[in-house]
Protein backbone atom coordinates (compact mmCIF):
# COMPACT_ATOMS: atom_id res chain seq x y z
CA UNK A 1 0.00 0.00 0.00
CA UNK A 2 1.28 3.45 -0.92
CA UNK A 3 2.74 5.40 2.02
CA UNK A 4 2.43 8.89 0.53
CA UNK A 5 0.00 10.81 -1.68
CA UNK A 6 -0.27 14.29 -3.10
CA UNK A 7 -3.98 14.48 -2.26
CA UNK A 8 -5.75 12.18 0.18
CA UNK A 9 -9.55 12.46 0.32
CA UNK A 10 -11.25 11.10 3.44
CA UNK A 11 -14.74 10.26 2.20
CA UNK A 12 -15.87 9.01 -1.21
CA UNK A 13 -19.41 10.43 -1.18
CA UNK A 14 -20.53 12.99 -3.76
CA UNK A 15 -18.32 15.85 -2.46
CA UNK A 16 -15.17 13.76 -2.08
CA UNK A 17 -15.77 11.97 -5.37
CA UNK A 18 -16.35 15.27 -7.19
CA UNK A 19 -12.96 16.49 -5.99
CA UNK A 20 -11.23 13.24 -6.97
CA UNK A 21 -12.84 13.22 -10.43
CA UNK A 22 -11.83 16.84 -10.91
CA UNK A 23 -8.21 15.78 -10.36
CA UNK A 24 -8.34 12.47 -12.26
CA UNK A 25 -6.14 13.57 -15.16
CA UNK A 26 -4.02 16.07 -13.24
CA UNK A 27 -0.95 13.83 -12.89
CA UNK A 28 -1.22 14.05 -9.10
CA UNK A 29 -1.27 11.01 -6.83
CA UNK A 30 -4.86 11.07 -5.52
CA UNK A 31 -6.12 8.52 -2.97
CA UNK A 32 -9.73 8.26 -1.73
CA UNK A 33 -10.61 6.54 1.56
CA UNK A 34 -14.19 5.30 1.39
CA UNK A 35 -15.81 3.57 4.37
CA UNK A 36 -18.47 1.86 2.23
CA UNK A 37 -17.52 -1.56 0.95
CA UNK A 38 -20.08 -1.21 -1.87
CA UNK A 39 -22.13 1.59 -3.50
CA UNK A 40 -25.51 2.54 -2.05
CA UNK A 41 -28.17 -0.15 -2.68
CA UNK A 42 -30.54 0.66 -5.57
CA UNK A 43 -33.51 0.74 -3.19
CA UNK A 44 -32.23 3.72 -1.16
CA UNK A 45 -35.29 6.04 -1.12
CA UNK A 46 -33.58 9.38 -0.42
CA UNK A 47 -33.96 12.19 -2.95
CA UNK A 48 -31.48 14.98 -3.68
CA UNK A 49 -32.34 18.34 -5.25
CA UNK A 50 -29.47 19.27 -7.57
CA UNK A 51 -29.12 22.87 -8.71
CA UNK A 52 -28.48 23.58 -12.37
CA UNK A 53 -24.93 24.53 -11.38
CA UNK A 54 -24.43 21.08 -9.85
CA UNK A 55 -25.77 19.52 -13.05
CA UNK A 56 -23.09 21.44 -14.98
CA UNK A 57 -20.35 20.20 -12.63
CA UNK A 58 -21.51 16.58 -12.92
CA UNK A 59 -21.77 16.93 -16.69
CA UNK A 60 -18.18 18.17 -16.93
CA UNK A 61 -17.03 15.21 -14.82
CA UNK A 62 -18.82 12.66 -17.03
CA UNK A 63 -21.36 11.68 -14.38
CA UNK A 64 -24.52 13.40 -15.59
CA UNK A 65 -25.04 11.24 -18.69
CA UNK A 66 -25.83 8.29 -16.42
CA UNK A 67 -28.31 10.32 -14.35
CA UNK A 68 -30.06 12.38 -17.01
CA UNK A 69 -32.77 9.84 -17.85
CA UNK A 70 -33.68 9.31 -14.19
CA UNK A 71 -33.54 12.96 -13.12
CA UNK A 72 -36.78 14.90 -12.72
CA UNK A 73 -36.44 18.52 -13.96
CA UNK A 74 -37.80 21.26 -11.70
CA UNK A 75 -39.28 23.78 -14.11
CA UNK A 76 -41.20 25.87 -11.58
CA UNK A 77 -40.80 26.55 -7.85
CA UNK A 78 -44.00 27.63 -6.09
CA UNK A 79 -43.22 29.57 -2.86
CA UNK A 80 -45.97 30.47 -0.40
CA UNK A 81 -46.78 30.75 3.30
CA UNK A 82 -49.49 28.96 5.22
CA UNK A 83 -52.63 30.96 5.95
CA UNK A 84 -51.30 34.22 4.48
CA UNK A 85 -51.47 36.06 1.19
CA UNK A 86 -48.53 36.41 -1.17
CA UNK A 87 -46.77 33.83 -3.32
CA UNK A 88 -43.96 33.71 -5.85
CA UNK A 89 -43.36 31.49 -8.87
CA UNK A 90 -39.79 30.98 -10.06
CA UNK A 91 -39.82 29.70 -13.64
CA UNK A 92 -37.03 28.11 -15.66
CA UNK A 93 -38.31 29.60 -18.91
CA UNK A 94 -37.93 33.13 -17.53
CA UNK A 95 -34.27 32.55 -16.71
CA UNK A 96 -33.44 30.87 -20.00
CA UNK A 97 -32.49 27.61 -18.27
CA UNK A 98 -33.67 24.11 -19.20
CA UNK A 99 -34.60 23.64 -15.53
CA UNK A 100 -34.16 25.35 -12.18
CA UNK A 101 -32.83 22.09 -10.76
CA UNK A 102 -33.18 18.34 -10.88
CA UNK A 103 -34.38 15.73 -8.39
CA UNK A 104 -32.37 12.50 -8.39
CA UNK A 105 -32.21 9.48 -6.14
CA UNK A 106 -29.24 9.51 -3.79
CA UNK A 107 -28.60 5.85 -4.59
CA UNK A 108 -28.52 6.53 -8.34
CA UNK A 109 -26.16 9.47 -7.79
CA UNK A 110 -23.84 7.38 -5.58
CA UNK A 111 -23.71 4.55 -8.13
CA UNK A 112 -23.02 6.97 -11.03
CA UNK A 113 -20.22 8.65 -9.07
CA UNK A 114 -18.69 5.30 -8.09
CA UNK A 115 -18.70 4.12 -11.69
CA UNK A 116 -17.08 7.36 -12.83
CA UNK A 117 -14.37 6.92 -10.18
CA UNK A 118 -13.76 3.35 -11.34
CA UNK A 119 -13.32 4.58 -14.93
CA UNK A 120 -11.05 7.44 -13.88
CA UNK A 121 -8.22 5.35 -12.51
CA UNK A 122 -8.19 7.24 -9.20
CA UNK A 123 -7.04 5.02 -6.33
CA UNK A 124 -10.06 4.25 -4.11
CA UNK A 125 -9.54 2.22 -0.93
CA UNK A 126 -12.93 0.75 -0.03
CA UNK A 127 -13.77 -0.28 3.48
CA UNK A 128 -11.21 2.27 4.71
CA UNK A 129 -12.20 4.81 7.37
CA UNK A 130 -9.95 7.67 8.48
CA UNK A 131 -9.47 7.49 12.27
CA UNK A 132 -7.04 10.30 12.94
CA UNK A 133 -5.53 13.23 11.05
CA UNK A 134 -2.41 14.98 12.29
CA UNK A 135 -1.50 18.20 10.46
CA UNK A 136 2.27 18.75 10.37
CA UNK A 137 4.63 21.33 8.90
CA UNK A 138 5.32 19.37 5.72
CA UNK A 139 2.15 17.36 5.23
CA UNK A 140 -0.76 15.70 7.02
CA UNK A 141 -0.41 12.27 8.58
CA UNK A 142 -3.59 10.24 8.07
CA UNK A 143 -4.31 7.10 10.08
CA UNK A 144 -7.06 4.81 8.84
CA UNK A 145 -8.53 1.38 9.44
CA UNK A 146 -8.96 -1.05 6.56
CA UNK A 147 -9.73 -4.75 6.80
CA UNK A 148 -9.47 -4.57 10.56
CA UNK A 149 -5.87 -3.34 10.36
CA UNK A 150 -4.42 0.10 11.09
CA UNK A 151 -2.54 1.93 8.34
CA UNK A 152 -0.95 5.32 7.84
CA UNK A 153 -0.35 7.60 4.88
CA UNK A 154 1.17 11.06 4.58
CA UNK A 155 -0.36 13.55 2.15
CA UNK A 156 0.68 16.97 0.95
CA UNK A 157 -3.00 17.89 1.33
CA UNK A 158 -5.64 15.91 3.22
CA UNK A 159 -9.24 16.73 2.34
CA UNK A 160 -11.95 15.85 4.85
CA UNK A 161 -15.18 15.01 2.99
CA UNK A 162 -16.68 12.47 5.41
CA UNK A 163 -19.02 14.85 7.20
CA UNK A 164 -16.34 15.68 9.78
CA UNK A 165 -16.20 12.27 11.47
CA UNK A 166 -12.39 12.27 11.29
CA UNK A 167 -11.89 15.86 12.51
CA UNK A 168 -11.87 15.27 16.27
CA UNK A 169 -9.14 16.90 18.37
CA UNK A 170 -7.40 18.87 15.60
CA UNK A 171 -5.89 21.94 17.22
CA UNK A 172 -7.28 25.26 15.97
CA UNK A 173 -10.42 23.83 14.33
CA UNK A 174 -13.66 24.67 16.09
CA UNK A 175 -17.16 23.55 15.12
CA UNK A 176 -19.95 25.95 15.96
CA UNK A 177 -23.52 24.69 16.11
CA UNK A 178 -26.90 26.41 16.14
CA UNK A 179 -29.75 24.04 16.96
CA UNK A 180 -33.08 24.85 15.31
CA UNK A 181 -35.21 22.73 17.61
CA UNK A 182 -36.69 21.15 14.48
CA UNK A 183 -36.60 17.79 12.75
CA UNK A 184 -37.26 16.94 9.10
CA UNK A 185 -39.68 14.17 8.22
CA UNK A 186 -38.76 12.78 4.81
CA UNK A 187 -40.86 10.41 2.71
CA UNK A 188 -42.17 9.69 -0.75
CA UNK A 189 -45.81 10.67 -1.20
CA UNK A 190 -48.24 10.14 -4.06
CA UNK A 191 -50.75 12.85 -4.91
CA UNK A 192 -54.00 13.05 -6.84
CA UNK A 193 -52.70 15.55 -9.41
CA UNK A 194 -49.55 15.24 -11.58
CA UNK A 195 -46.63 17.45 -10.60
CA UNK A 196 -45.72 18.70 -14.11
CA UNK A 197 -42.23 19.61 -12.90
CA UNK A 198 -43.44 21.94 -10.13
CA UNK A 199 -41.70 21.98 -6.74
CA UNK A 200 -43.40 23.54 -3.71
CA UNK A 201 -41.77 25.38 -0.82
CA UNK A 202 -44.38 26.36 1.76
CA UNK A 203 -43.52 28.21 4.95
CA UNK A 204 -45.45 27.51 8.14
CA UNK A 205 -45.01 28.65 11.77
CA UNK A 206 -43.60 25.19 12.56
CA UNK A 207 -41.06 25.33 9.72
CA UNK A 208 -40.98 24.90 5.92
CA UNK A 209 -42.54 21.99 4.06
CA UNK A 210 -41.31 21.06 0.59
CA UNK A 211 -42.59 18.78 -2.16
CA UNK A 212 -40.10 17.91 -4.89
CA UNK A 213 -41.31 16.31 -8.15
CA UNK A 214 -40.14 12.72 -8.47
CA UNK A 215 -40.11 10.72 -11.68
CA UNK A 216 -40.13 7.15 -10.32
CA UNK A 217 -43.42 5.33 -10.65
CA UNK A 218 -46.87 6.78 -10.12
CA UNK A 219 -47.57 8.47 -13.47
CA UNK A 220 -45.90 11.74 -12.48
CA UNK A 221 -47.80 12.03 -9.21
CA UNK A 222 -45.01 11.19 -6.76
CA UNK A 223 -43.20 13.80 -4.67
CA UNK A 224 -40.24 13.69 -2.32
CA UNK A 225 -41.50 15.23 0.91
CA UNK A 226 -39.48 17.24 3.45
CA UNK A 227 -41.76 18.24 6.35
CA UNK A 228 -40.22 20.33 9.14
CA UNK A 229 -41.70 19.95 12.60
CA UNK A 230 -40.75 20.00 16.28
CA UNK A 231 -38.83 16.84 17.23
CA UNK A 232 -41.70 15.29 19.22
CA UNK A 233 -44.17 16.12 16.43
CA UNK A 234 -41.84 14.57 13.84
CA UNK A 235 -41.61 11.39 15.88
CA UNK A 236 -45.40 11.28 16.13
CA UNK A 237 -45.81 11.79 12.37
CA UNK A 238 -43.50 8.89 11.62
CA UNK A 239 -45.57 6.65 13.87
CA UNK A 240 -49.00 7.47 12.42
CA UNK A 241 -50.83 4.99 10.24
CA UNK A 242 -50.82 5.86 6.54
CA UNK A 243 -54.36 7.23 6.32
CA UNK A 244 -53.92 9.53 9.33
CA UNK A 245 -50.53 10.76 8.09
CA UNK A 246 -51.95 11.64 4.66
CA UNK A 247 -54.89 13.52 6.20
CA UNK A 248 -52.60 15.57 8.43
CA UNK A 249 -50.30 16.26 5.48
CA UNK A 250 -53.16 17.67 3.44
CA UNK A 251 -54.32 19.87 6.32
CA UNK A 252 -50.79 21.17 6.79
CA UNK A 253 -49.84 21.62 3.12
CA UNK A 254 -53.18 22.45 1.49
CA UNK A 255 -54.86 21.12 -1.65
CA UNK A 256 -52.61 22.40 -4.45
CA UNK A 257 -51.87 18.83 -5.51
CA UNK A 258 -55.27 17.40 -4.56
CA UNK A 259 -55.52 14.56 -2.06
CA UNK A 260 -52.48 12.59 -0.98
CA UNK A 261 -53.02 8.94 -1.79
CA UNK A 262 -49.92 7.09 -0.57
CA UNK A 263 -46.74 7.39 1.48
CA UNK A 264 -43.58 5.31 1.87
CA UNK A 265 -40.15 5.49 3.46
CA UNK A 266 -40.88 7.81 6.38
CA UNK A 267 -37.89 8.84 8.50
CA UNK A 268 -36.94 11.84 10.67
CA UNK A 269 -33.65 13.55 11.46
CA UNK A 270 -32.72 16.62 13.54
CA UNK A 271 -31.88 19.93 11.87
CA UNK A 272 -29.08 22.32 12.74
CA UNK A 273 -26.70 24.87 11.31
CA UNK A 274 -23.10 23.84 11.92
CA UNK A 275 -19.91 25.30 10.55
CA UNK A 276 -16.16 24.85 10.98
CA UNK A 277 -14.09 27.98 11.54
CA UNK A 278 -11.51 27.95 10.24
CA UNK A 279 -12.14 25.13 7.78
CA UNK A 280 -8.41 24.56 7.18
CA UNK A 281 -5.34 23.56 9.18
CA UNK A 282 -1.77 22.84 8.08
CA UNK A 283 -2.03 20.76 4.90
CA UNK A 284 -5.69 20.00 5.62
CA UNK A 285 -9.03 21.34 4.38
CA UNK A 286 -12.65 20.35 5.08
CA UNK A 287 -15.34 20.49 2.39
CA UNK A 288 -19.04 19.70 2.13
CA UNK A 289 -20.88 18.76 5.33
CA UNK A 290 -17.56 18.55 7.16
CA UNK A 291 -17.18 22.30 6.62
CA UNK A 292 -20.81 23.38 6.90
CA UNK A 293 -24.18 21.70 7.50
CA UNK A 294 -27.25 23.74 6.50
CA UNK A 295 -31.00 23.55 7.06
CA UNK A 296 -32.58 21.82 4.03
CA UNK A 297 -34.78 24.84 3.19
CA UNK A 298 -34.15 25.93 -0.42
CA UNK A 299 -31.95 22.83 -0.95
CA UNK A 300 -28.61 24.64 -0.70
CA UNK A 301 -26.36 22.43 1.47
CA UNK A 302 -25.66 19.53 -0.88
CA UNK A 303 -25.01 21.84 -3.84
CA UNK A 304 -22.73 24.03 -1.73
CA UNK A 305 -20.62 20.95 -0.98
CA UNK A 306 -20.25 20.12 -4.68
CA UNK A 307 -19.10 23.68 -5.35
CA UNK A 308 -16.55 23.36 -2.52
CA UNK A 309 -15.11 20.31 -4.25
CA UNK A 310 -15.16 21.79 -7.75
CA UNK A 311 -13.42 25.02 -6.77
CA UNK A 312 -10.86 23.20 -4.63
CA UNK A 313 -10.03 20.93 -7.57
CA UNK A 314 -9.49 23.96 -9.80
CA UNK A 315 -7.24 25.58 -7.16
CA UNK A 316 -5.20 22.40 -6.70
CA UNK A 317 -4.65 22.19 -10.45
CA UNK A 318 -3.38 25.77 -10.46
CA UNK A 319 -1.00 25.21 -7.53
CA UNK A 320 2.57 23.89 -7.95
CA UNK A 321 3.05 20.51 -6.29
CA UNK A 322 5.58 21.93 -3.84
CA UNK A 323 2.94 24.40 -2.56
CA UNK A 324 0.07 21.94 -2.04
CA UNK A 325 -1.38 22.44 1.42
CA UNK A 326 0.71 25.53 2.09
CA UNK A 327 -0.63 28.41 4.15
CA UNK A 328 -0.81 30.59 1.03
CA UNK A 329 -2.82 28.00 -0.92
CA UNK A 330 -5.25 27.41 1.95
CA UNK A 331 -5.73 31.15 2.37
CA UNK A 332 -6.64 31.37 -1.32
CA UNK A 333 -9.18 28.58 -0.88
CA UNK A 334 -10.81 30.27 2.12
CA UNK A 335 -11.03 33.54 0.23
CA UNK A 336 -12.46 31.83 -2.86
CA UNK A 337 -15.22 30.10 -0.89
CA UNK A 338 -16.00 32.74 1.75
CA UNK A 339 -18.76 34.56 -0.12
CA UNK A 340 -20.50 31.42 -1.36
CA UNK A 341 -20.46 29.45 1.89
CA UNK A 342 -21.15 32.47 4.07
CA UNK A 343 -23.95 33.62 1.79
CA UNK A 344 -25.52 30.15 1.71
CA UNK A 345 -25.53 29.87 5.49
CA UNK A 346 -26.94 33.36 5.98
CA UNK A 347 -29.61 32.81 3.31
CA UNK A 348 -30.95 29.54 4.71
CA UNK A 349 -30.73 30.71 8.31
CA UNK A 350 -32.58 33.91 7.39
CA UNK A 351 -35.37 31.96 5.69
CA UNK A 352 -35.82 29.62 8.66
CA UNK A 353 -35.83 32.39 11.27
CA UNK A 354 -37.94 34.84 9.28
CA UNK A 355 -40.58 32.45 7.95
CA UNK A 356 -40.82 29.85 10.72
CA UNK A 357 -42.77 31.88 13.26
CA UNK A 358 -46.15 33.51 13.85
CA UNK A 359 -44.90 36.79 15.29
CA UNK A 360 -47.47 39.59 15.05
CA UNK A 361 -47.10 41.60 11.85
CA UNK A 362 -44.50 39.32 10.30
CA UNK A 363 -47.04 37.35 8.27
CA UNK A 364 -48.21 40.44 6.41
CA UNK A 365 -44.63 41.61 5.84
CA UNK A 366 -43.61 38.20 4.47
CA UNK A 367 -46.65 38.12 2.20
CA UNK A 368 -45.80 41.57 0.87
CA UNK A 369 -42.21 40.50 0.22
CA UNK A 370 -43.35 37.42 -1.72
CA UNK A 371 -45.83 39.49 -3.72
CA UNK A 372 -43.15 42.07 -4.56
CA UNK A 373 -40.77 39.32 -5.64
CA UNK A 374 -43.47 37.96 -7.96
CA UNK A 375 -43.85 41.41 -9.54
CA UNK A 376 -40.09 42.04 -10.02
CA UNK A 377 -38.54 39.85 -12.70
CA UNK A 378 -34.93 41.09 -12.15
CA UNK A 379 -35.21 40.14 -8.46
CA UNK A 380 -36.52 36.68 -9.35
CA UNK A 381 -33.69 36.23 -11.85
CA UNK A 382 -31.17 37.21 -9.16
CA UNK A 383 -32.60 34.64 -6.74
CA UNK A 384 -32.56 31.91 -9.42
CA UNK A 385 -28.94 32.65 -10.38
CA UNK A 386 -27.72 32.53 -6.79
CA UNK A 387 -29.66 29.35 -6.03
CA UNK A 388 -28.37 27.74 -9.23
CA UNK A 389 -24.74 28.84 -9.29
CA UNK A 390 -23.92 30.15 -5.83
CA UNK A 391 -22.57 33.54 -4.84
CA UNK A 392 -19.53 33.16 -7.13
CA UNK A 393 -21.67 32.41 -10.18
Amino acid sequence: MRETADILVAGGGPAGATLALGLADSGLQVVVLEAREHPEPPGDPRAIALSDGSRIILQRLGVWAELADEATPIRTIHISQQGRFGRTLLRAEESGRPALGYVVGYAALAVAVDRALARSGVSVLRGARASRLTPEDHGCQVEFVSGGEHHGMKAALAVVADGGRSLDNISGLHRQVREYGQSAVVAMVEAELPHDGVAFERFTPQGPIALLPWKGTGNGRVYALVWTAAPDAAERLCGLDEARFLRELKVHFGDRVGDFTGVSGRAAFPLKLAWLRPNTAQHLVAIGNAAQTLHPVAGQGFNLGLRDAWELANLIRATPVAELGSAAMLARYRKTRRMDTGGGMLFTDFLVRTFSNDWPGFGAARGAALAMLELCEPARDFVVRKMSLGANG
Side-chain angles (χ1 to χ4, degrees):
M1 185 178 294
R2 180 182 293 136
E3 296 182 354
T4 63
D6 294 318
I7 310 295
L8 186 144
V9 185
T18 294
L19 173 65
L21 289 170
L23 298 173
D25 61 350
S26 64
L28 296 170
Q29 293 180 336
V30 180
V31 176
V32 178
L33 304 181
E34 173 48 48
R36 295 173 301 149
E37 293 281 359
H38 305 287
E40 298 292 333
D44 191 317
R46 290 174 292 171
I48 297 292
L50 295 174
S51 69
D52 193 41
S54 292
R55 188 266 308 169
I56 293 171
I57 291 173
L58 295 174
Q59 190 171 48
R60 291 177 177 176
L61 295 175
V63 176
W64 184 250
E66 192 168 333
L67 292 170
D69 289 341
E70 298 184 32
T72 307
I74 300 175
R75 297 190 173 88
T76 303
I77 301 176
H78 185 290
I79 307 171
S80 62
Q81 59 172 340
Q82 186 186 60
R84 300 283 185 174
F85 81 96
R87 68 104 171 95
T88 296
L89 295 178
L90 304 178
R91 305 171 181 87
E93 59 185 2
E94 279 188 355
S95 62
R97 300 178 185 279
L100 297 174
Y102 301 83
V103 185
V104 301
Y106 185 87
L109 176 61
V111 169
V113 165
D114 283 327
R115 288 176 177 169
L117 274 177
R119 293 192 300 267
S120 73
V122 170
S123 178
V124 180
L125 303 182
R126 289 202 165 273
R129 183 184 298 274
S131 56
R132 185 177 181 85
L133 298 101
T134 307
E136 300 173 346
D137 289 340
H138 303 292
C140 184
Q141 189 68 35
V142 180
E143 299 173 35
F144 61 96
V145 178
S146 177
E149 298 182 354
H150 292 266
H151 302 272
M153 189 177 297
K154 191 167 186 176
L157 178 64
V159 182
V160 180
D162 62 357
R165 288 183 291 273
S166 55
L167 279 175
D168 294 341
N169 303 319
I170 295 180
S171 177
L173 297 186
H174 304 286
R175 186 173 299 279
Q176 302 179 56
V177 179
R178 178 178 297 165
E179 300 287 350
Y180 285 116
Q182 298 175 337
S183 291
V185 175
V186 298
M188 290 294 174
V189 295
E190 187 168 350
E192 181 182 6
L193 303 177
H195 55 64
D196 294 328
V198 179
F200 294 90
E201 186 87 60
R202 187 159 173 77
F203 294 98
T204 81
Q206 295 76 38
I209 180 170
L211 290 177
L212 305 175
W214 178 254
K215 186 170 288 185
T217 58
N219 299 317
R221 292 177 168 83
V222 177
Y223 291 87
L225 168 70
V226 183
W227 182 349
T228 307
D232 56 345
E235 184 177 354
R236 185 186 67 83
L237 288 170
C238 287
L240 292 177
D241 64 67
E242 180 173 340
R244 178 68 180 273
F245 179 86
L246 295 175
R247 286 197 300 270
E248 292 202 16
L249 175 58
K250 183 176 180 181
V251 170
H252 193 68
F253 177 78
D255 60 0
R256 286 184 173 85
V257 298
D259 290 330
F260 292 99
T261 59
V263 59
S264 62
R266 273 178 283 175
F269 59 91
L271 301 177
K272 63 184 178 182
L273 172 64
W275 65 100
L276 199 65
R277 287 294 181 270
N279 58 2
T280 64
Q282 293 184 100
H283 297 273
L284 181 146
V285 59
I287 64 173
N289 282 342
Q292 65 274 320
T293 302
L294 278 59
H295 194 288
V297 65
Q300 292 298 294
F302 183 87
N303 298 290
L304 193 62
L306 288 192
R307 295 197 295 270
D308 283 348
W310 178 254
E311 295 205 20
L312 179 58
N314 289 334
L315 177 59
I316 289 172
R317 284 177 169 274
T319 301
V321 174
E323 297 178 21
L324 290 175
S326 66
M329 176 202 163
L330 296 175
R332 287 195 296 273
Y333 175 75
R334 292 194 302 271
K335 182 178 180 180
T336 298
R337 297 299 300 141
R338 185 176 296 124
M339 183 178 294
D340 194 16
T341 56
M345 288 190 293
L346 286 173
F347 177 61
T348 56
D349 190 57
F350 170 80
L351 288 178
V352 173
R353 293 182 174 277
T354 303
F355 284 85
S356 297
N357 61 70
D358 53 2
W359 298 334
F362 264 61
R366 293 190 297 255
L370 289 173
M372 290 176 63
L373 184 60
E374 176 64 16
L375 294 172
C376 183
E377 184 174 340
R380 292 198 306 278
D381 183 61
F382 175 83
V383 171
V384 167
R385 281 190 288 111
K386 296 309 176 187
M387 288 179 63
S388 297
L389 303 175
N392 296 339

